[in-house]
Amino acid sequence: MFPSLSTTNTDHLKETVGKLLQFLQGTRQISEAHTVDFYTKNVWKNLVAVSPDRVLLVLQEDGMASHQKKKEVPDISCIFSDITHHLVNIEAFAAAAHYYSLVNLGACISVEDLLEALSIHKAGGLEKEMKINQFMNIKKSHEVLIMSQLVESIARKCGVKQVIDLGAGKGYLSSYLSMRYDLEVYGIDSSDSNTDGANKRNRKLKKYWKAYKRNPSGTSKGMKSEQEKDCLLPSYLCQEVNTDREILESKPIVPSLEGLSISDLADDEKNMMSGSNNCQIYQEIHQSVFQIQTLDLDRSSCFLDILPSDAVEESPFSENIGRCFTEQEKEQRKLENLKTKEWNESRVYSTLTCEVTTNTDLNDIIGTLEESVIVGLHTCGDLAPNTLRIFVTKPEIKAVCSVGCCYHLLTEELDMPEEENSFIALGFPMSHLLKESGWIFGRNARMSACLALERVAVGQGPPTESLFYRAVLQVICKEYFGGIQSDKRVGKVFSKSASFTDYVRRCLKKLGNDDLKLSDEKIMEYYETYKPRKNELEAFNMLKILLAPCIEALILLDRLCYLKEQSNLAWSGLVKLFDPVKSPRCYAVVSVKK
């Protein structure tokens, strides 16, 4: 199907996985160590024979960017001591970590190459970044613009019009695919609040679109105070581990139109009296909403400019704003508006609330399942591998484009009760190759895979201070009551705390141990004791960050191996979709059936 694309053959894939497993086996003592236990288990002394200052210096000089090309196979035998198994060669460790990333292994292709193979590259390639801050944040707009174009081109190549978006959340990708490319999209999410939010944002998106069609050079004034409340696509879809924080602050460019919605129009018409004063008031309200205010806006890159002209149907009511209606006309208009509103709501896309597993029958959810493409943009944990399983087993689904995240939420054999192992499709491993190897990561290593190496490489370093606070808190908890129960979490307390003492007090209260008689002076004594060793924690966290792309590589190669093991697929590959600084979980698993 894609003759211009190089395909990773099965033998080469097995060889690559084998080498990666060998490296990860040698480094798993680092990836499995949890920074929470850094001081209580004396991690640095037990695992590293190099000074923390030396580690930080080498990593600064060598660079943290995993995209640096490492063509020679590194010698991993010199990284650790044969006797003590301590890390003794930080230079070799860094070189090997860079080498075993997906890019340097040659195990992925660029989105540009895939688009060219789909015969759309010459027609213009990727759309330029658009100023759509009012509709979604910079990170999400970057993801939606690129992935939607790839999904549309795959759908067109396969000759399908239906798209199933699993883990659709607030409708970032779904609404854009439908309005921009006129696809029939079903956005499925397990959260009622997400699907409700998606429906509200669709109505607001139409409201913006109508206003923009009336006055494309401007929009309403006097309503900017409602911008944040009216933002169509809020900042976060799911919780990644230190990876999905917004990296740039941006000003919204399209003021809110909270004062007028589709439902408002219907309600105003219903309540409007036949008297001329009421008609005049209504006209003034309507005109004030659509007053023109010139914006400093690049029209060629505006979100609304690229939507098709019929993305949202105009209400027939707008044609007769200056009229006063008879009772019969008002009743007729009311019925017409209700029909138009119902049609418009179904036009953007259908939102469905359902938890999807490998046993889910999409026919039961959708009702009209046709030949389609199944997609997922940052589907959490097991939903990403389950998306691939549904793709493989459902004949109507012709292609898949899946970007996973939250690797720490994947299920492995050790996470499940023994009696349930044979009945549950685990998140990792998927492939026979990895299952036969017996490889298991464990939660700590999978959490390491969620770290953002590329962001660290450009100066957006990890939150060392919060990690330090948490590690010292662990010392306090262990000494006074044996540690923290496994079912309890501290959560996001650091950002709310004014000092270390305040942090400890808040955490103890959250853990149910606030009755502990611990003076402020004693708390600060712990802080001062471990402060000179903070650089150890910082250096060790850098080691874990260096390993993150390698762990992620094995998780994604396992998914690719699973697809390669199927007999009904024409092409499968890993595609680097996004800028990893903007979106650290940047790889998509793409596959098309024969």
Side-chain angles (χ1 to χ4, degrees):
M1 180 169 281
F2 305 121
S4 63
L5 288 179
S6 59
T7 302
T8 305
N9 63 59
T10 305
D11 291 338
H12 178 69
L13 191 58
K14 289 181 179 179
E15 182 183 354
T16 299
V17 169
K19 291 178 180 178
L20 181 56
L21 282 174
Q22 186 180 4
F23 174 66
L24 290 175
Q25 178 64 46
T27 58
R28 70 184 309 161
Q29 59 184 355
I30 293 176
S31 62
E32 289 180 351
H34 202 308
T35 51
V36 163
D37 302 311
F38 189 77
Y39 297 121
T40 58
K41 295 184 177 180
N42 210 359
V43 170
W44 188 266
K45 182 179 179 180
N46 291 332
L47 299 182
V48 185
V50 185
S51 73
D53 291 337
R54 172 65 181 166
V55 170
L56 292 172
L57 178 63
V58 169
L59 296 185
Q60 288 171 359
E61 292 178 347
D62 182 63
M64 294 287 288
S66 64
H67 62 263
Q68 293 178 351
K69 291 292 182 182
K70 305 291 180 181
K71 296 182 179 180
E72 296 181 3
V73 179
D75 179 11
I76 62 175
S77 63
C78 64
I79 297 177
F80 296 94
S81 166
D82 292 334
I83 300 174
T84 64
H85 303 293
H86 282 66
L87 173 63
V88 294
N89 191 328
I90 181 59
E91 292 85 356
F93 177 89
H98 288 318
Y99 178 84
Y100 286 108
S101 66
L102 281 176
V103 172
N104 288 321
L105 286 171
C108 67
I109 64 170
S110 69
V111 64
E112 290 82 6
D113 287 343
L114 183 53
L115 289 175
E116 186 171 5
L118 291 165
S119 303
I120 71 166
H121 184 77
K122 293 180 181 178
L126 286 170
E127 290 174 352
K128 58 189 292 188
E129 293 275 329
M130 294 185 298
K131 299 177 182 179
I132 54 177
N133 304 352
Q134 179 67 19
F135 300 91
M136 56 191 84
N137 62 37
I138 290 176
K139 173 184 178 296
K140 192 56 63 180
S141 66
H142 173 74
E143 296 164 353
V144 168
L145 285 171
I146 296 174
M147 187 164 177
S148 63
Q149 187 167 353
L150 178 57
V151 170
E152 187 275 337
S153 62
I154 293 173
R156 179 154 47 84
K157 189 77 173 180
C158 295
V160 304
K161 291 288 289 182
Q162 191 176 87
V163 175
I164 301 166
D165 184 5
L166 296 186
K170 301 292 186 182
Y172 300 93
L173 179 64
S174 298
S175 58
Y176 190 84
L177 278 170
S178 181
M179 294 191 73
R180 175 68 178 95
Y181 296 109
D182 198 27
L183 292 166
E184 178 189 0
V185 185
Y186 291 90
I188 303 175
D189 197 271
S190 62
S191 168
D192 282 319
S193 62
N194 278 345
T195 50
D196 288 344
N199 284 326
K200 291 177 183 177
R201 282 167 179 78
N202 278 327
R203 289 194 288 270
K204 290 180 179 180
L205 182 55
K206 293 172 187 171
K207 177 179 60 179
Y208 279 83
W209 175 239
K210 287 187 176 183
Y212 190 79
K213 283 178 70 177
R214 292 174 183 274
N215 296 291
S217 62
T219 186
S220 64
K221 69 177 182 178
M223 299 185 181
K224 291 186 178 181
S225 61
E226 295 292 326
Q227 270 181 348
E228 289 189 15
K229 188 175 82 171
D230 196 37
C231 185
L232 292 171
L233 298 168
S235 298
Y236 303 108
L237 174 61
C238 65
Q239 293 290 339
E240 288 195 47
V241 181
N242 297 329
T243 63
D244 266 353
R245 302 291 178 88
E246 186 61 51
I247 59 173
L248 291 172
E249 293 294 330
S250 56
K251 297 181 179 180
I253 62 163
V254 183
S256 165
L257 300 178
E258 186 65 32
L260 184 70
S261 68
I262 295 173
S263 58
D264 292 335
L265 288 174
D267 292 339
D268 285 334
E269 181 181 7
K270 175 181 68 177
N271 297 324
M272 189 165 52
M273 305 288 288
S274 59
S276 60
N277 288 340
N278 290 309
C279 286
Q280 182 179 357
I281 291 171
Y282 185 80
Q283 291 177 49
E284 289 173 356
I285 293 173
H286 203 294
Q287 290 167 1
S288 67
V289 170
F290 292 114
Q291 276 188 316
I292 297 175
Q293 180 184 21
T294 302
L295 297 177
D296 181 15
L297 179 65
D298 180 1
R299 291 288 314 286
S300 66
S301 62
C302 177
F303 172 77
L304 298 172
D305 271 344
I306 69 167
L307 293 178
S309 59
D310 63 343
V312 177
E313 185 74 7
E314 280 281 9
S315 169
F317 174 61
S318 62
E319 300 169 3
N320 297 283
I321 294 174
R323 285 189 54 196
C324 292
F325 301 107
T326 66
E327 292 297 325
Q328 183 178 0
E329 286 175 325
K330 285 192 288 183
E331 189 63 28
Q332 182 181 354
R333 286 292 184 179
K334 178 181 177 182
L335 293 174
E336 288 177 356
N337 283 338
L338 289 174
K339 289 180 180 179
T340 301
K341 180 179 178 181
E342 183 179 354
W343 184 89
N344 280 343
E345 288 179 350
S346 65
R347 173 69 183 274
V348 175
Y349 75 98
S350 302
T351 57
L352 303 165
T353 303
C354 178
E355 184 174 354
V356 176
T357 68
T358 52
N359 299 320
T360 301
D361 189 344
L362 293 177
N363 285 299
D364 293 339
I365 305 173
I366 296 173
T368 55
L369 182 63
E370 303 169 358
E371 290 191 346
S372 57
V373 176
I374 193 168
V375 303
L377 175 53
H378 289 150
T379 45
C380 296
D382 286 351
L383 184 54
N386 285 343
T387 299
L388 301 183
R389 291 188 175 105
I390 293 171
F391 159 68
V392 166
T393 58
K394 203 70 177 171
E396 294 91 341
I397 301 175
K398 300 304 178 184
V400 64
C401 181
S402 172
V403 182
C405 72
C406 301
Y407 300 131
H408 60 297
L409 298 179
L410 288 171
T411 54
E412 292 186 272
E413 186 174 345
L414 54 79
D415 299 320
M416 308 302 297
E418 187 173 344
E419 62 273 13
E420 295 183 13
N421 280 344
S422 58
F423 302 103
I424 295 179
L426 299 175
F428 179 88
M430 294 186 70
S431 67
H432 293 305
L433 177 64
L434 266 295
K435 287 178 180 177
E436 291 171 359
S437 74
W439 181 267
I440 293 177
F441 272 122
R443 181 180 172 86
N444 289 345
R446 284 184 275 115
M447 287 186 70
S448 298
C450 297
L451 297 170
L453 174 61
E454 282 80 5
R455 287 188 175 180
V456 175
V458 296
Q460 299 171 29
T464 305
E465 191 69 10
S466 64
L467 294 175
F468 176 67
Y469 274 27
R470 181 63 183 85
V472 178
L473 172 70
Q474 191 77 355
V475 175
I476 296 173
C477 291
K478 184 176 182 180
E479 289 189 6
Y480 281 88
F481 34 84
I484 297 175
Q485 296 179 21
S486 59
D487 61 338
K488 292 187 177 182
R489 296 284 184 271
V490 169
K492 299 178 180 179
V493 177
F494 176 79
S495 60
K496 304 173 185 177
S497 304
S499 63
F500 179 70
T501 302
D502 184 35
Y503 172 84
V504 172
R505 299 285 185 210
R506 288 173 179 267
C507 290
L508 292 177
K509 184 176 181 179
K510 196 167 184 178
L511 295 169
N513 297 304
D514 51 324
D515 57 343
L516 181 65
K517 303 301 181 184
L518 193 63
S519 66
D520 290 355
E521 290 76 13
K522 185 63 177 177
I523 292 174
M524 287 307 298
E525 184 179 319
Y526 281 102
Y527 179 87
E528 295 298 334
T529 298
Y530 289 96
K531 186 178 179 180
R533 297 177 58 189
K534 187 193 294 187
N535 62 344
E536 294 178 358
L537 179 60
E538 181 181 359
F540 191 78
N541 199 49
M542 288 296 187
L543 297 178
K544 290 174 71 71
I545 291 172
L546 269 177
L547 288 176
C550 307
I551 301 171
E552 180 180 39
L554 186 61
I555 293 172
L556 295 178
L557 287 172
D558 170 57
R559 295 173 186 178
L560 180 59
C561 286
Y562 167 78
L563 294 174
K564 293 282 189 180
E565 291 167 356
Q566 312 306 315
S567 60
N568 61 335
L569 305 183
W571 183 86
S572 303
L574 300 177
V575 182
K576 188 174 183 181
L577 275 187
F578 312 131
D579 177 348
V581 175
K582 292 181 180 178
S583 181
R585 305 283 73 77
C586 63
Y587 296 101
V589 180
V590 179
S591 185
V592 181
K593 286 179 180 173
K594 293 178 181 177

